[in-house]
Amino acid sequence: MNYWLMKSEPDTFSIDDLKNVKQEPWDGVRNYQARNFMRDGMAVGDGVFFYHSNCKVPGIVGIARVASEAYPDPSQFDPDSHYFDPKSSRDKPRWMLVDVKFERKFERTIALDELKAQPALAEMPLVRKGNRLSVMPVEASDWQYILGML
DNA sequence: GCCAACGTTGGC
DNA sequence: GCCAACGTTGGC
């Protein structure tokens, strides 16, 4: 089993939203590296840190699970969608996603600040300067370490 | 809301 | 296939 971190802006889709709907297609990813992680790396049951970005206290707020194999992101075909991609087609879809299901919301946010302050986590892409990936792998050891910060 | 960092696009 | 211009991400 592998571990991941997925970012979402809480104004758009928060951990509470996921808790409410239980399971959700992770649509709107329009970055090839992030797509490749979902398409090629993920398997059902993988652990996901749910990360809130672009908000007052950015950080990890809970855990979700990968709940489907990768499949084409429907929003790329929808001209009314913010995520519409005119260069994609149904026979050659450009963007893939997985469904993600709610598992747990933490009692508190493990803030980006705290993560950055841990020497043990210095190699995480998340805390590296300029990293803008919205889907990234997490080492099993880092996963355990972060859970230990709760 | 600013802007650094970085990814993508498109002219050549 | 280079690279300047442009767009986006996301912390601050």
Side-chain angles (χ1 to χ4, degrees), chain A residues 37-63:
Chain A
F37 285 134
M38 289 198 287
R39 187 188 62 189
D40 308 328
M42 288 188 180
V44 172
D46 280 1
V48 176
F49 277 142
F50 197 110
Y51 179 94
H52 280 175
S53 67
N54 235 325
C55 56
K56 204 162 181 183
V57 183
I60 299 169
V61 293
I63 294 176

PDB file of all heavy atoms in Angstrom, chain A residues 37-63:
ATOM      1  N   PHE A  37       0.537  10.440 -10.936  1.00  0.00           N
ATOM      2  CA  PHE A  37       0.473   9.780  -9.630  1.00  0.00           C
ATOM      3  C   PHE A  37      -0.873   9.092  -9.452  1.00  0.00           C
ATOM      4  O   PHE A  37      -0.951   7.958  -8.979  1.00  0.00           O
ATOM      5  CB  PHE A  37       0.710  10.781  -8.499  1.00  0.00           C
ATOM      6  CG  PHE A  37       2.149  11.202  -8.346  1.00  0.00           C
ATOM      7  CD1 PHE A  37       2.472  12.546  -8.191  1.00  0.00           C
ATOM      8  CD2 PHE A  37       3.171  10.256  -8.345  1.00  0.00           C
ATOM      9  CE1 PHE A  37       3.799  12.941  -8.044  1.00  0.00           C
ATOM     10  CE2 PHE A  37       4.499  10.650  -8.200  1.00  0.00           C
ATOM     11  CZ  PHE A  37       4.808  12.004  -8.048  1.00  0.00           C
ATOM     12  N   MET A  38      -1.944   9.772  -9.838  1.00  0.00           N
ATOM     13  CA  MET A  38      -3.278   9.172  -9.684  1.00  0.00           C
ATOM     14  C   MET A  38      -3.453   7.994 -10.636  1.00  0.00           C
ATOM     15  O   MET A  38      -3.986   6.950 -10.269  1.00  0.00           O
ATOM     16  CB  MET A  38      -4.373  10.217  -9.937  1.00  0.00           C
ATOM     17  CG  MET A  38      -4.465  11.251  -8.834  1.00  0.00           C
ATOM     18  SD  MET A  38      -6.032  12.158  -8.828  1.00  0.00           S
ATOM     19  CE  MET A  38      -5.802  13.198 -10.254  1.00  0.00           C
ATOM     20  N   ARG A  39      -3.002   8.175 -11.856  1.00  0.00           N
ATOM     21  CA  ARG A  39      -3.223   7.160 -12.897  1.00  0.00           C
ATOM     22  C   ARG A  39      -2.333   5.936 -12.711  1.00  0.00           C
ATOM     23  O   ARG A  39      -2.779   4.804 -12.870  1.00  0.00           O
ATOM     24  CB  ARG A  39      -2.956   7.794 -14.273  1.00  0.00           C
ATOM     25  CG  ARG A  39      -3.306   6.907 -15.443  1.00  0.00           C
ATOM     26  CD  ARG A  39      -2.829   7.507 -16.753  1.00  0.00           C
ATOM     27  NE  ARG A  39      -1.371   7.646 -16.767  1.00  0.00           N
ATOM     28  CZ  ARG A  39      -0.695   8.294 -17.710  1.00  0.00           C
ATOM     29  NH1 ARG A  39      -1.338   8.886 -18.701  1.00  0.00           N
ATOM     30  NH2 ARG A  39       0.621   8.377 -17.659  1.00  0.00           N
ATOM     31  N   ASP A  40      -1.068   6.188 -12.387  1.00  0.00           N
ATOM     32  CA  ASP A  40      -0.089   5.099 -12.401  1.00  0.00           C
ATOM     33  C   ASP A  40       0.317   4.617 -11.020  1.00  0.00           C
ATOM     34  O   ASP A  40       0.838   3.511 -10.880  1.00  0.00           O
ATOM     35  CB  ASP A  40       1.181   5.559 -13.140  1.00  0.00           C
ATOM     36  CG  ASP A  40       0.870   6.134 -14.515  1.00  0.00           C
ATOM     37  OD1 ASP A  40      -0.099   5.680 -15.140  1.00  0.00           O
ATOM     38  OD2 ASP A  40       1.605   7.051 -14.944  1.00  0.00           O
ATOM     39  N   GLY A  41       0.126   5.459 -10.026  1.00  0.00           N
ATOM     40  CA  GLY A  41       0.654   5.104  -8.719  1.00  0.00           C
ATOM     41  C   GLY A  41      -0.364   4.615  -7.723  1.00  0.00           C
ATOM     42  O   GLY A  41      -0.044   3.827  -6.840  1.00  0.00           O
ATOM     43  N   MET A  42      -1.585   5.078  -7.867  1.00  0.00           N
ATOM     44  CA  MET A  42      -2.563   4.821  -6.810  1.00  0.00           C
ATOM     45  C   MET A  42      -3.278   3.497  -6.981  1.00  0.00           C
ATOM     46  O   MET A  42      -3.506   3.036  -8.089  1.00  0.00           O
ATOM     47  CB  MET A  42      -3.602   5.944  -6.770  1.00  0.00           C
ATOM     48  CG  MET A  42      -3.035   7.238  -6.228  1.00  0.00           C
ATOM     49  SD  MET A  42      -4.331   8.448  -5.975  1.00  0.00           S
ATOM     50  CE  MET A  42      -3.351   9.820  -5.352  1.00  0.00           C
ATOM     51  N   ALA A  43      -3.634   2.908  -5.852  1.00  0.00           N
ATOM     52  CA  ALA A  43      -4.456   1.704  -5.848  1.00  0.00           C
ATOM     53  C   ALA A  43      -5.522   1.872  -4.773  1.00  0.00           C
ATOM     54  O   ALA A  43      -5.328   2.615  -3.798  1.00  0.00           O
ATOM     55  CB  ALA A  43      -3.600   0.474  -5.565  1.00  0.00           C
ATOM     56  N   VAL A  44      -6.630   1.169  -4.969  1.00  0.00           N
ATOM     57  CA  VAL A  44      -7.719   1.242  -4.000  1.00  0.00           C
ATOM     58  C   VAL A  44      -7.203   0.869  -2.612  1.00  0.00           C
ATOM     59  O   VAL A  44      -6.494  -0.122  -2.459  1.00  0.00           O
ATOM     60  CB  VAL A  44      -8.876   0.302  -4.414  1.00  0.00           C
ATOM     61  CG1 VAL A  44      -9.934   0.230  -3.319  1.00  0.00           C
ATOM     62  CG2 VAL A  44      -9.500   0.786  -5.725  1.00  0.00           C
ATOM     63  N   GLY A  45      -7.528   1.693  -1.643  1.00  0.00           N
ATOM     64  CA  GLY A  45      -7.117   1.436  -0.271  1.00  0.00           C
ATOM     65  C   GLY A  45      -5.902   2.242   0.168  1.00  0.00           C
ATOM     66  O   GLY A  45      -5.603   2.313   1.353  1.00  0.00           O
ATOM     67  N   ASP A  46      -5.201   2.866  -0.793  1.00  0.00           N
ATOM     68  CA  ASP A  46      -4.052   3.699  -0.425  1.00  0.00           C
ATOM     69  C   ASP A  46      -4.489   4.820   0.517  1.00  0.00           C
ATOM     70  O   ASP A  46      -5.594   5.352   0.401  1.00  0.00           O
ATOM     71  CB  ASP A  46      -3.421   4.336  -1.674  1.00  0.00           C
ATOM     72  CG  ASP A  46      -2.507   3.375  -2.432  1.00  0.00           C
ATOM     73  OD1 ASP A  46      -2.376   2.206  -1.998  1.00  0.00           O
ATOM     74  OD2 ASP A  46      -1.933   3.794  -3.459  1.00  0.00           O
ATOM     75  N   GLY A  47      -3.592   5.185   1.418  1.00  0.00           N
ATOM     76  CA  GLY A  47      -3.876   6.259   2.370  1.00  0.00           C
ATOM     77  C   GLY A  47      -3.613   7.632   1.769  1.00  0.00           C
ATOM     78  O   GLY A  47      -2.671   7.807   0.993  1.00  0.00           O
ATOM     79  N   VAL A  48      -4.454   8.577   2.117  1.00  0.00           N
ATOM     80  CA  VAL A  48      -4.323   9.948   1.589  1.00  0.00           C
ATOM     81  C   VAL A  48      -4.389  10.947   2.744  1.00  0.00           C
ATOM     82  O   VAL A  48      -5.377  10.962   3.491  1.00  0.00           O
ATOM     83  CB  VAL A  48      -5.462  10.267   0.601  1.00  0.00           C
ATOM     84  CG1 VAL A  48      -5.370  11.723   0.135  1.00  0.00           C
ATOM     85  CG2 VAL A  48      -5.440   9.326  -0.607  1.00  0.00           C
ATOM     86  N   PHE A  49      -3.366  11.757   2.879  1.00  0.00           N
ATOM     87  CA  PHE A  49      -3.474  12.918   3.761  1.00  0.00           C
ATOM     88  C   PHE A  49      -4.255  13.993   3.032  1.00  0.00           C
ATOM     89  O   PHE A  49      -3.923  14.357   1.896  1.00  0.00           O
ATOM     90  CB  PHE A  49      -2.084  13.465   4.118  1.00  0.00           C
ATOM     91  CG  PHE A  49      -1.401  12.748   5.247  1.00  0.00           C
ATOM     92  CD1 PHE A  49      -0.028  12.521   5.205  1.00  0.00           C
ATOM     93  CD2 PHE A  49      -2.108  12.322   6.370  1.00  0.00           C
ATOM     94  CE1 PHE A  49       0.620  11.865   6.252  1.00  0.00           C
ATOM     95  CE2 PHE A  49      -1.464  11.666   7.425  1.00  0.00           C
ATOM     96  CZ  PHE A  49      -0.102  11.436   7.358  1.00  0.00           C
ATOM     97  N   PHE A  50      -5.302  14.494   3.680  1.00  0.00           N
ATOM     98  CA  PHE A  50      -6.109  15.568   3.098  1.00  0.00           C
ATOM     99  C   PHE A  50      -5.520  16.888   3.579  1.00  0.00           C
ATOM    100  O   PHE A  50      -5.472  17.149   4.783  1.00  0.00           O
ATOM    101  CB  PHE A  50      -7.564  15.415   3.562  1.00  0.00           C
ATOM    102  CG  PHE A  50      -8.572  16.174   2.742  1.00  0.00           C
ATOM    103  CD1 PHE A  50      -9.474  15.501   1.929  1.00  0.00           C
ATOM    104  CD2 PHE A  50      -8.631  17.567   2.802  1.00  0.00           C
ATOM    105  CE1 PHE A  50     -10.416  16.210   1.171  1.00  0.00           C
ATOM    106  CE2 PHE A  50      -9.564  18.270   2.048  1.00  0.00           C
ATOM    107  CZ  PHE A  50     -10.459  17.590   1.243  1.00  0.00           C
ATOM    108  N   TYR A  51      -5.088  17.700   2.633  1.00  0.00           N
ATOM    109  CA  TYR A  51      -4.378  18.938   2.946  1.00  0.00           C
ATOM    110  C   TYR A  51      -5.190  20.147   2.525  1.00  0.00           C
ATOM    111  O   TYR A  51      -5.685  20.198   1.387  1.00  0.00           O
ATOM    112  CB  TYR A  51      -3.031  18.920   2.212  1.00  0.00           C
ATOM    113  CG  TYR A  51      -2.155  20.134   2.395  1.00  0.00           C
ATOM    114  CD1 TYR A  51      -1.178  20.168   3.381  1.00  0.00           C
ATOM    115  CD2 TYR A  51      -2.278  21.240   1.568  1.00  0.00           C
ATOM    116  CE1 TYR A  51      -0.360  21.277   3.547  1.00  0.00           C
ATOM    117  CE2 TYR A  51      -1.467  22.361   1.723  1.00  0.00           C
ATOM    118  CZ  TYR A  51      -0.510  22.373   2.716  1.00  0.00           C
ATOM    119  OH  TYR A  51       0.311  23.474   2.876  1.00  0.00           O
ATOM    120  N   HIS A  52      -5.321  21.099   3.424  1.00  0.00           N
ATOM    121  CA  HIS A  52      -6.011  22.355   3.083  1.00  0.00           C
ATOM    122  C   HIS A  52      -4.991  23.401   2.649  1.00  0.00           C
ATOM    123  O   HIS A  52      -4.091  23.757   3.408  1.00  0.00           O
ATOM    124  CB  HIS A  52      -6.798  22.874   4.290  1.00  0.00           C
ATOM    125  CG  HIS A  52      -8.117  22.188   4.488  1.00  0.00           C
ATOM    126  ND1 HIS A  52      -8.929  22.434   5.566  1.00  0.00           N
ATOM    127  CD2 HIS A  52      -8.770  21.279   3.727  1.00  0.00           C
ATOM    128  CE1 HIS A  52     -10.040  21.695   5.467  1.00  0.00           C
ATOM    129  NE2 HIS A  52      -9.954  20.975   4.354  1.00  0.00           N
ATOM    130  N   SER A  53      -5.153  23.890   1.442  1.00  0.00           N
ATOM    131  CA  SER A  53      -4.248  24.916   0.914  1.00  0.00           C
ATOM    132  C   SER A  53      -4.991  26.232   0.736  1.00  0.00           C
ATOM    133  O   SER A  53      -6.224  26.274   0.760  1.00  0.00           O
ATOM    134  CB  SER A  53      -3.666  24.464  -0.427  1.00  0.00           C
ATOM    135  OG  SER A  53      -4.668  24.399  -1.412  1.00  0.00           O
ATOM    136  N   ASN A  54      -4.202  27.295   0.553  1.00  0.00           N
ATOM    137  CA  ASN A  54      -4.782  28.600   0.242  1.00  0.00           C
ATOM    138  C   ASN A  54      -5.790  29.038   1.293  1.00  0.00           C
ATOM    139  O   ASN A  54      -6.887  29.503   0.953  1.00  0.00           O
ATOM    140  CB  ASN A  54      -5.464  28.545  -1.124  1.00  0.00           C
ATOM    141  CG  ASN A  54      -4.920  29.627  -2.029  1.00  0.00           C
ATOM    142  OD1 ASN A  54      -4.585  30.710  -1.590  1.00  0.00           O
ATOM    143  ND2 ASN A  54      -4.829  29.305  -3.311  1.00  0.00           N
ATOM    144  N   CYS A  55      -5.431  28.889   2.539  1.00  0.00           N
ATOM    145  CA  CYS A  55      -6.337  29.243   3.621  1.00  0.00           C
ATOM    146  C   CYS A  55      -5.513  29.758   4.797  1.00  0.00           C
ATOM    147  O   CYS A  55      -4.295  29.823   4.718  1.00  0.00           O
ATOM    148  CB  CYS A  55      -7.155  28.022   4.034  1.00  0.00           C
ATOM    149  SG  CYS A  55      -6.131  26.613   4.507  1.00  0.00           S
ATOM    150  N   LYS A  56      -6.200  30.104   5.864  1.00  0.00           N
ATOM    151  CA  LYS A  56      -5.534  30.765   6.974  1.00  0.00           C
ATOM    152  C   LYS A  56      -4.412  29.910   7.579  1.00  0.00           C
ATOM    153  O   LYS A  56      -3.311  30.410   7.809  1.00  0.00           O
ATOM    154  CB  LYS A  56      -6.568  31.106   8.059  1.00  0.00           C
ATOM    155  CG  LYS A  56      -6.139  32.242   8.937  1.00  0.00           C
ATOM    156  CD  LYS A  56      -7.333  32.825   9.683  1.00  0.00           C
ATOM    157  CE  LYS A  56      -6.871  33.992  10.548  1.00  0.00           C
ATOM    158  NZ  LYS A  56      -7.961  34.554  11.352  1.00  0.00           N
ATOM    159  N   VAL A  57      -4.739  28.672   7.873  1.00  0.00           N
ATOM    160  CA  VAL A  57      -3.718  27.752   8.408  1.00  0.00           C
ATOM    161  C   VAL A  57      -3.593  26.544   7.491  1.00  0.00           C
ATOM    162  O   VAL A  57      -4.278  25.544   7.673  1.00  0.00           O
ATOM    163  CB  VAL A  57      -4.072  27.279   9.837  1.00  0.00           C
ATOM    164  CG1 VAL A  57      -2.958  26.394  10.396  1.00  0.00           C
ATOM    165  CG2 VAL A  57      -4.322  28.465  10.757  1.00  0.00           C
ATOM    166  N   PRO A  58      -2.738  26.648   6.483  1.00  0.00           N
ATOM    167  CA  PRO A  58      -2.557  25.502   5.581  1.00  0.00           C
ATOM    168  C   PRO A  58      -1.971  24.330   6.356  1.00  0.00           C
ATOM    169  O   PRO A  58      -1.105  24.528   7.216  1.00  0.00           O
ATOM    170  CB  PRO A  58      -1.547  26.001   4.544  1.00  0.00           C
ATOM    171  CG  PRO A  58      -1.306  27.439   4.822  1.00  0.00           C
ATOM    172  CD  PRO A  58      -1.855  27.773   6.159  1.00  0.00           C
ATOM    173  N   GLY A  59      -2.446  23.134   6.046  1.00  0.00           N
ATOM    174  CA  GLY A  59      -1.912  21.968   6.719  1.00  0.00           C
ATOM    175  C   GLY A  59      -2.744  20.725   6.482  1.00  0.00           C
ATOM    176  O   GLY A  59      -3.751  20.754   5.761  1.00  0.00           O
ATOM    177  N   ILE A  60      -2.314  19.634   7.107  1.00  0.00           N
ATOM    178  CA  ILE A  60      -2.995  18.352   6.963  1.00  0.00           C
ATOM    179  C   ILE A  60      -4.131  18.289   7.977  1.00  0.00           C
ATOM    180  O   ILE A  60      -3.928  18.530   9.168  1.00  0.00           O
ATOM    181  CB  ILE A  60      -2.017  17.188   7.173  1.00  0.00           C
ATOM    182  CG1 ILE A  60      -0.896  17.244   6.125  1.00  0.00           C
ATOM    183  CG2 ILE A  60      -2.748  15.847   7.092  1.00  0.00           C
ATOM    184  CD1 ILE A  60       0.257  16.293   6.407  1.00  0.00           C
ATOM    185  N   VAL A  61      -5.324  17.969   7.496  1.00  0.00           N
ATOM    186  CA  VAL A  61      -6.506  18.042   8.356  1.00  0.00           C
ATOM    187  C   VAL A  61      -7.182  16.696   8.571  1.00  0.00           C
ATOM    188  O   VAL A  61      -8.121  16.598   9.359  1.00  0.00           O
ATOM    189  CB  VAL A  61      -7.533  19.050   7.801  1.00  0.00           C
ATOM    190  CG1 VAL A  61      -6.965  20.463   7.883  1.00  0.00           C
ATOM    191  CG2 VAL A  61      -7.926  18.691   6.374  1.00  0.00           C
ATOM    192  N   GLY A  62      -6.728  15.660   7.869  1.00  0.00           N
ATOM    193  CA  GLY A  62      -7.360  14.366   8.072  1.00  0.00           C
ATOM    194  C   GLY A  62      -6.877  13.335   7.081  1.00  0.00           C
ATOM    195  O   GLY A  62      -5.889  13.549   6.361  1.00  0.00           O
ATOM    196  N   ILE A  63      -7.583  12.222   7.061  1.00  0.00           N
ATOM    197  CA  ILE A  63      -7.190  11.087   6.224  1.00  0.00           C
ATOM    198  C   ILE A  63      -8.358  10.650   5.347  1.00  0.00           C
ATOM    199  O   ILE A  63      -9.514  10.596   5.801  1.00  0.00           O
ATOM    200  CB  ILE A  63      -6.731   9.901   7.097  1.00  0.00           C
ATOM    201  CG1 ILE A  63      -5.438  10.271   7.840  1.00  0.00           C
ATOM    202  CG2 ILE A  63      -6.510   8.647   6.264  1.00  0.00           C
ATOM    203  CD1 ILE A  63      -4.963   9.203   8.798  1.00  0.00           C
TER     204      ILE A  63
END
